[in-house]
Structures are given as C-alpha cells and as structure tokens.
Amino acid sequence: MKVLMTGATGFVGRETARALSEAGHQVSPVVRAGDGFRVASIDGYTDWSGAFEGVQAVIHLAARVHRMDDRSADPLAAFRAVNTIGTERLARAAAAAGVLRFVFVSSVKAVGEASPPDGVIDETTVPQPADPYGISKLEAEQALLQVAVDTGMQVVIVRPPLVYGPGVGANFRALVHAVARGWPLPLACVRNRRSLVAVGNLADALRCCVEHPAAAGRTYFVTDGEDAGTAELCQRIGRALGRPARLLPVPVVLLRLAGTLTGRSAAVNRLTGSLVLDSSRIRRELGWQPPQTMDEALAAMVVAECAS
C-alpha cells in the first residue's frame, strides 16, 4: 500500500521507511525540503491539500521533542501546537481524504516516567505524564481516538520507550562513547531495570501495525522484550565493543545528590530509576516478534558508531 510518513528523514523514520519498502509498500515522505510532500511545519495551520493521493495509511512520527535548551515562554503550549493540534489536524485531513489507517507514534512519556516498585506499566496503566511533552502526547492520543469515533478511520497508537540503534544521538550515544574510551562510570551500585527498543524492532512493529487487521483501534507498548539495568546495559555495550565497561561503586544516594546540586536530577533519575513495560499485547494480538535481540542490536549500533 501507499503510506504517507511524517518524520521520514529522522532516526526512526529512515529505518521505518526501509522496513516498509522491503515489505513492498510505497513510502510517501513528508519533508521540509527535497523529494516528497513539502510542509514548512506541522501544526494547526498546515495545509495538507494533495498529500493523500492514493494513500491508504499514515505513520505519524514527527513531533516537537524535549530539548534541554528549550526557551519557550509557555512550553506546554509550544508542545501542544505541534504534538496535539498538529496531529489532530493531520488525522482529520487524512480521514477526509479516505485514508483507512493512522498509526501514531506516541511515547511512554504519555503514561509516565517510572514504573511502580516491583511492578510494570502496561496498556491498562492510568496515564500520569510528568512533563509538557508527555502531556501533549497523551492529549494527541485522546484527540485521535475522538477522530476515530467521528470519522471511522482506524487509529493505532504505539508507545515506545527509549529507542537506540545505529545513528542514535544524545545521552545513549554519549554512553557508548564513554564505554568505548574506557572512562570510569559511577554506575556499579545502580540496581534498576529499564525497557528499551532497538530502532529496527520499532520499525518492524510499525510495519506490522500498518498491515495487521487486528491492530485497528489498539494501543501498544513496543520493546525488545528484555529489560536491562543501567549497569548491565554498560556491560552489554562493553561486550559488543570487545572491552569491559569500567564501573565504579558509587552509592545511588550520592548520584542523586550530585544531580540535585548540578541541576541534572532528571537525567540522574533516568539512569538510576526503573521503567519496565509489558509489551506482551502486541505479541499476543498481532503475533509480532522483535527481529533483533538486544545484544544483536547493540552490536549493530557499535559497528556503525565505530565506522562513523
């Protein structure tokens, strides 16, 4: 089928476009410049006229994401303009054009930042987003469900956790480089668990959500199916690099104190806290299985980073 995709040139979008193409689908990218349907931005004013010719499905990846240097006077309004209002406008335009299915890539942040002690987050967990980005994503989910009621267009919501793989940026890439350079990391005392998803696994799940009839109207968490604590993740990265990770036994309470003193509490909480997701629903209902194990995906990422 022909699939319109926003965010097609991004980290997840490139891999998803490849997965769709390999499955025989035609990808119609939404771009700011270059080949595809051009838009200056995605918000409540975007003109989608002519975007959906021959399109049967939409994958909406583009979003305003969290930035450390965000200087918006009203961050929630800025996130809503793109992530909530822009998403709803795109969905209503797609439905009016006769698009059959709309796959929305939301985020675990629409539900929360941490799993309960000795528990997991699944699709029945009551959402409690903790920041403007998460709030805007949850509101977008709610708006899309109303679009589905109003128009009959099939909506699928996918909530990934942290995505990693070749080309990953930000903190995950910095962690890989730290292990590769043998830098000592004060993480040996961290005893947490976090769910992750390799970019290739997420791309394959999005392809499945486009294709499978049973995905209509459903919400799914997508993970690798294996959870790793921060210390274990460093060790796995080290094995992929062929060198041991150097982990120092610094008490977690001191790490959190350092985070408070340096204004980086959120980053330290992500390193030390747990976020465990149950992604069994998509496996059970769609028969989906991740194509890569975590170790295979980490090895592919390390090869790409070393080659760059």
Side-chain angles (χ1 to χ4, degrees):
M1 67 182 74
K2 186 176 182 181
V3 181
L4 183 82
M5 185 190 304
T6 69
T9 60
F11 171 53
V12 176
R14 291 191 301 270
E15 190 68 18
T16 304
R18 182 194 61 76
L20 289 171
S21 297
E22 289 182 354
H25 302 297
Q26 177 187 351
V27 177
S28 176
V30 175
V31 296
R32 289 184 176 177
D35 296 333
F37 184 81
R38 295 190 185 186
V39 297
S41 62
I42 297 177
D43 53 29
Y45 303 98
T46 307
D47 183 0
W48 293 103
S49 301
F52 305 105
E53 184 176 352
V55 170
Q56 289 89 42
V58 170
I59 296 180
H60 184 34
L61 277 158
R64 187 181 196 274
V65 298
H66 175 73
R67 293 190 293 262
M68 293 296 294
D69 60 348
D70 193 341
R71 298 178 182 177
S72 302
D74 187 344
L76 181 55
F79 279 111
R80 279 174 169 157
V82 177
N83 297 349
T84 306
I85 299 170
T87 295
E88 182 177 5
R89 183 176 180 87
L90 169 60
R92 290 197 178 275
V99 171
L100 301 176
R101 180 167 292 191
F102 192 101
V103 179
F104 176 54
V105 182
S106 183
S107 168
V108 66
K109 286 179 174 287
V111 180
E113 299 277 359
S115 50
D118 301 320
V120 300
I121 291 174
D122 64 14
E123 292 84 356
T124 67
T125 301
V126 177
Q128 293 181 310
D131 63 12
Y133 172 74
I135 292 169
S136 70
K137 281 290 195 176
L138 178 61
E139 291 177 346
E141 293 182 10
Q142 294 166 341
L144 288 175
L145 295 177
Q146 187 60 52
V147 171
V149 170
D150 294 344
T151 68
M153 184 173 66
Q154 300 172 357
V155 168
V156 188
I157 295 168
V158 175
R159 295 168 172 166
L162 176 68
V163 185
Y164 68 97
V168 70
N171 295 333
F172 204 103
R173 187 180 189 192
L175 183 64
V176 172
H177 286 187
V179 175
R181 293 166 182 163
W183 293 349
L185 300 171
L187 302 171
C189 292
V190 177
R191 297 288 184 267
N192 64 339
R193 305 298 294 171
R194 296 193 74 86
S195 298
L196 309 171
V197 64
V199 65
N201 290 341
L202 177 57
D204 190 68
L206 294 177
R207 175 214 41 90
C208 186
C209 287
V210 164
E211 296 175 345
H212 204 295
R218 304 300 281 164
T219 296
Y220 296 117
F221 285 108
V222 177
T223 74
D224 289 339
E226 42 184 322
D227 307 314
T230 302
E232 179 189 348
L233 183 61
C234 291
Q235 293 164 348
R236 287 187 177 213
I237 292 171
R239 287 199 298 270
L241 288 163
R243 63 173 305 156
R246 296 181 63 196
L247 304 180
L248 303 181
V250 177
V252 172
V253 65
L254 294 183
L255 295 178
R256 290 179 175 159
L257 176 61
T260 300
L261 295 175
T262 59
R264 296 183 58 82
S265 291
V268 171
N269 287 341
R270 284 192 294 272
L271 281 173
T272 60
S274 291
L275 181 58
V276 182
L277 310 178
D278 179 355
S279 59
S280 61
R281 175 187 281 184
I282 189 171
R283 301 161 198 265
R284 182 175 66 253
E285 294 184 352
L286 307 188
W288 178 79
Q289 293 293 329
Q292 288 182 303
T293 66
M294 183 179 290
D295 286 335
E296 290 169 343
L298 287 172
M301 180 185 67
V302 163
V303 169
E305 286 298 318
C306 292
S308 62

